[in-house]
Amino acid sequence: MSKVVVVYHSGYGHTRVIARAVAQGVERHLGSRCLLLAVEEVDAHWEDLHRADAIIFGSPTYMGSVSAAFKQFMEATASFYLAQPWRDKLAAGFTNSGSLCGDKLNTLVQMAVFAAQHSMIWVGLDLLPARFGDGGIDGQLNRLGSSLGAMSQSSVEQPPGLAPPLEDQLTASHLGERVARLAQRMVRE
Ligand SMILES: Cc1cc2nc3c(=O)[nH]c(=O)nc-3n(C[C@H](O)[C@H](O)[C@H](O)COP(=O)(O)O)c2cc1C
């Protein structure tokens, strides 16, 4: 059995929708268990993170970067950086923003660098970008055309029940399932 932890921050609930979708994707893979953890709960769960086979990071994009709460989580890990307990674990990331772009690639880059600092192995999104055909990109997976991780967009006027759209949630589930599948392969070796 592989153990995956999804650790995320969500100020207003939109990124939480995506975090749940990622967790559903993980659990869809037979033999994988997912612990869904808000950064506010992390202090009671460091051992779960250390025991995980994979950790998936999630943050809204605030001012073109991870949120302050997520950065606080990142900096808390400096306390065990020298011991490198996350070496060779899989890592992946997702982010949600208000604008279609919103500079959120930078958020994923921050997460990937953070994972590299902990000697983790970064898993990207294995989905081709949605194509602009006659029907436009709506309804297709990877609507926002990301490859470093899962991106989603939530119009700021819409509450978490209405945004992010289903295709972004399914894109996130796909990433969760991919990480679970790869983690399972590593556990078998
Ligand atoms: C402090 C702050 C900064 C933000 N900065 C950006 C930004 O740089 N780009 C963007 O597209 N949206 C930005 N937004 C909008 C959020 O990314 C968007 O509302 C998102 O859905 C919030 O996710 P959450 O509900 O999980 O907190 C910002 C929102 C806040 C509160």
Side-chain angles (χ1 to χ4, degrees), residues 10-16 60-64 96-99 102 154 156:
S10 181
Y12 304 90
H14 299 90
T15 312
R16 183 176 306 118
T61 293
Y62 288 171
M63 302 314 292
N96 170 73
S97 75
S99 304
S154 308
V156 287

Side-chain angles (χ1 to χ4, degrees), residues 6-25:
V6 175
V7 56
Y8 73 96
H9 172 246
S10 181
Y12 304 90
H14 299 90
T15 312
R16 183 176 306 118
V17 172
I18 295 296
R20 288 186 182 139
V22 172
Q24 280 169 9

Side-chain angles (χ1 to χ4, degrees), residues 50-107:
H50 296 338
R51 276 196 297 265
D53 303 299
I55 305 174
I56 305 177
F57 305 111
S59 170
T61 293
Y62 288 171
M63 302 314 292
S65 61
V66 295
S67 64
F70 193 83
K71 187 66 165 44
Q72 202 171 1
F73 156 73
M74 287 166 72
E75 292 186 16
T77 70
S79 62
F80 54 79
Y81 163 72
L82 291 178
Q84 293 276 287
W86 295 359
R87 176 188 295 279
D88 292 346
K89 291 185 195 303
L90 297 183
F94 59 93
T95 185
N96 170 73
S97 75
S99 304
L100 280 173
C101 170
D103 300 317
K104 61 182 167 285
L105 177 61
N106 188 53
T107 304

Side-chain angles (χ1 to χ4, degrees), residues 1-2 10 14 39 66 69 72 85 93 101 120 147 154 181-182:
M1 193 191 75
S2 66
S10 181
H14 299 90
V39 286
V66 295
Q72 202 171 1
C101 170
M120 301 174 85
S147 36
S154 308
R181 191 173 63 248
L182 295 173

